[in-house]
Amino acid sequence: MRMPEAVTPAEWNKAHEELMAKEKELTRAQDRLAAERRRQPGVRIDAEHGFTGEGGRFSLVDLFEGRRQLIVYHFMFAPGSKRPCSGCSMFVDNLGDPAHLNARDTTLAVVSRAPYPEIAAVREQRGWTVPWYSSFGDGFNEEMGVTVDDNDSFGLSVFIRDDTSVYRTYFTRGRGVEKLGTNWSLLDLTPLGRQETWEDSPEGVPQESPYAWWRLRDEYGD
């Protein structure tokens, strides 16, 4: 197995500082991209989509759980699938407690085409608690572009609502999903962002001091 080149502490520090400079520039570039993302237009979802989840039937607005923003992971799990997608499963395995997203007026949910009993069995088997809904018999996947000619792919969509009017503001797939999973990376995809004063956001986006909203997950309250 290849091992790193052995160098002196001074040589290591020099190489490390050069790498850190590149990483900081990447972080700044990502911040600029997030600022542009917060200014992206949205497409209104006019179709009356219906979903089945734990507790019954739900509309797209219901998936927001009363919050203003919704992040949906499109999980590759078609009707009759023998096993869940390994890559999608890895993504869900890495999701943290939703309390931190909820504190930023954001809900996270998973949607697949399989009937809900098939979804519920996998959800229980894997020990997942994230809300996972079935769009079986509905055209939601097709409208989102993740099902074409009955073939599924995975991806992640971001929505914002104004009362009952829902707009899709962002979508990513493939390697665009790989770097996601932390609350910060998911919030950076939304129109409202982290809602901290250092962010370059459009006028009207709520903001407060950095870290002011951070809590232990059981300290947010209702």
Side-chain angles (χ1 to χ4, degrees):
M1 185 180 71
R2 180 188 178 277
M3 296 295 292
E5 178 187 0
V7 297
T8 66
E11 290 171 325
W12 185 89
N13 283 331
K14 181 177 183 297
H16 178 67
E17 289 173 0
E18 291 174 351
L19 182 63
M20 289 300 98
K22 294 177 181 177
E23 288 193 355
K24 287 180 180 178
E25 177 51 37
L26 176 60
T27 298
R28 296 186 187 101
Q30 290 173 332
D31 288 342
R32 292 191 295 269
L33 187 60
E36 183 176 346
R37 192 182 293 119
R38 287 190 289 275
R39 291 167 169 82
Q40 288 294 293
V43 58
R44 181 169 175 169
I45 308 300
D46 290 321
E48 294 293 332
H49 293 295
F51 307 86
T52 304
E54 188 174 24
R57 290 288 291 173
F58 302 89
S59 68
L60 181 57
V61 171
D62 292 333
L63 269 57
F64 284 76
E65 297 181 349
R67 301 183 183 93
R68 190 176 179 190
Q69 298 187 132
L70 171 68
I71 299 173
V72 169
Y73 182 71
H74 304 282
F75 193 116
M76 288 176 59
F77 194 46
S81 295
K82 300 300 182 183
R83 66 192 300 269
C85 165
S86 57
C88 293
S89 298
M90 188 182 299
F91 178 83
V92 176
D93 279 338
N94 280 282
L95 293 175
D97 192 288
H100 307 290
L101 287 175
N102 297 165
R104 297 283 86 179
D105 213 9
T106 303
T107 298
L108 176 65
V110 177
V111 173
S112 297
R113 283 199 306 137
Y116 186 69
E118 297 177 17
I119 287 174
V122 172
R123 185 170 178 258
E124 181 178 4
Q125 179 189 47
R126 306 307 304 169
W128 293 330
T129 57
V130 61
W132 190 358
Y133 300 93
S134 167
S135 62
F136 182 73
D138 186 273
F140 180 73
N141 265 36
E142 287 78 5
E143 183 173 353
M144 297 301 108
V146 292
T147 298
V148 179
D149 296 331
D150 210 36
N151 294 314
D152 288 356
S153 60
F154 67 95
L156 184 141
S157 292
V158 176
F159 304 89
I160 193 168
R161 72 181 181 94
D162 179 12
D163 193 19
T164 58
S165 296
V166 176
Y167 301 84
R168 190 191 197 192
T169 63
Y170 182 73
F171 174 73
T172 189
R173 61 172 22 135
R175 295 198 66 189
V177 176
E178 289 181 6
K179 63 178 182 290
L180 304 176
T182 67
N183 296 295
W184 296 291
S185 65
L186 291 170
L187 287 172
D188 285 344
L189 305 180
T190 68
L192 302 183
R194 305 184 193 190
Q195 299 162 56
E196 296 181 347
T197 51
W198 64 270
E199 291 179 301
D200 175 8
S201 292
E203 184 177 352
V205 169
Q207 291 186 323
E208 58 184 324
S209 299
Y211 317 119
W213 62 278
W214 293 18
R215 304 283 189 279
L216 298 181
R217 66 183 183 186
D218 55 351
E219 293 178 344
Y220 287 110
D222 296 332

